Amino acid sequence: DIQMTQSPSFLSASVGERVTLSCKASQNINKYLDWYQQKLGEAPKLLIYNTNNLHTGIPSRFSGSGSGTDYTLTISSLQPEDVATYFCLQRNSWPYTFGAGTKLELK
Amino acid sequence: QIQLVQSGPELKKPGESVKISCKASGYTFTDYAMHWVKQVPGKGLKWMGWINTYTGKPTYADDFKGRFVFSLEASASTANLQISNLKNEDTANVFCARKGVSGSFDYWGQGVMVTVSS
């Protein structure tokens, strides 16, 4: 199975700050990497698919990049409504595997 | 609009069975695969497998072979998950998620909390 390692596990940032979250795969996942946002008590929501494609309706402050084993989610200017846990998911091979998540809070 | 609506919370005893449903609306059910994802409260997400909504063929992740069954009521645009011989470690929130044209999970159900306790 492909292991997905997210860092940091916890991040505290200020409104307006640029935030970068990392996801590292244990082997090449050929850009089959999605990012999901999960707010407390809710289902996950798709933000970015296939590394750098913004899902419909997602604000442009969210962006993704990466290749091979290393991937990044960037929030260009953090907003209060971005408080959530962020998970990456690899879909390169079965079983699909999620990272453990990065919990993002406001400073 | 596209929606996945799951059945309500379940409280079961060890050894019992449970069947949870995921009703889709707003799109052609058989055009998109349905996946299942487990989340232990306060923990991460684990992919359980998926069902081809056109053929009905299920595929299970290794940890979900044996006691877990994915099925369809295609005429009702509904996917089901049955878990038999429930164990305490099955206590979790279980989500259904549609696999969209991009390959990602573009719509999710609200989740069903399954609690197994004696």
Side-chain angles (χ1 to χ4, degrees):
Chain A
D1 297 3
I2 296 176
Q3 308 304 314
M4 303 299 292
T5 302
Q6 286 190 245
S7 60
S9 299
F10 177 84
L11 181 59
S12 181
S14 302
V15 172
E17 189 173 338
R18 182 181 182 89
V19 170
T20 300
L21 282 60
S22 174
C23 184
K24 185 174 181 67
S26 59
Q27 62 191 70
N28 182 8
I29 56 171
N30 297 301
K31 296 193 172 186
Y32 289 106
L33 188 286
D34 304 332
W35 290 95
Y36 296 84
Q37 177 193 65
Q38 187 177 32
K39 296 183 178 180
L40 199 62
E42 296 184 4
K45 182 171 81 169
L46 176 64
L47 298 176
I48 302 280
Y49 63 92
N50 296 339
T51 295
N52 57 8
N53 295 278
L54 201 63
H55 183 52
T56 305
I58 301 302
S60 59
R61 64 180 179 273
F62 291 92
S63 64
S65 63
S67 63
T69 61
D70 295 304
Y71 298 83
T72 299
L73 173 69
T74 300
I75 307 173
S76 60
S77 177
L78 186 67
Q79 299 303 303
E81 60 266 32
D82 300 336
V83 169
T85 300
Y86 293 82
F87 295 97
C88 59
L89 167 69
Q90 71 80 19
R91 292 183 289 103
N92 183 70
S93 61
W94 294 343
Y96 292 173
T97 45
F98 291 89
T102 292
K103 187 173 184 179
L104 179 57
E105 293 193 352
L106 287 180
K107 190 180 292 182
Chain B
Q1 75 281 22
I2 294 170
Q3 280 190 301
L4 300 178
V5 178
Q6 296 185 242
S7 47
E10 300 275 2
L11 175 59
K12 295 290 184 181
K13 291 180 166 49
E16 292 185 338
S17 296
V18 69
K19 188 174 184 178
I20 61 179
S21 66
C22 171
K23 183 171 176 59
S25 61
Y27 70 97
T28 302
F29 180 70
T30 52
D31 283 351
Y32 298 88
M34 194 69 76
H35 289 242
W36 293 90
V37 176
K38 174 182 178 179
Q39 186 171 38
V40 174
K43 301 294 184 182
L45 301 160
K46 189 163 188 175
W47 180 73
M48 301 174 72
W50 66 287
I51 187 164
N52 184 315
T53 54
Y54 186 75
T55 65
K57 180 184 175 184
T59 300
Y60 302 96
D62 284 349
D63 287 349
F64 300 97
K65 291 178 178 176
R67 299 187 296 114
F68 299 80
V69 176
F70 305 146
S71 64
L72 302 174
E73 295 170 52
S75 60
S77 298
T78 298
N80 300 306
L81 164 61
Q82 181 158 347
I83 311 172
S84 59
N85 188 21
L86 282 161
K87 304 177 187 305
N88 290 331
E89 54 264 37
D90 294 324
T91 294
N93 211 351
V94 179
F95 297 96
C96 59
R98 188 187 88 156
K99 188 177 187 182
V101 292
S102 66
S104 54
F105 300 153
D106 58 358
Y107 289 92
W108 293 64
Q110 82 276 17
V112 175
M113 185 65 210
V114 177
T115 303
V116 183
S117 174
S118 53

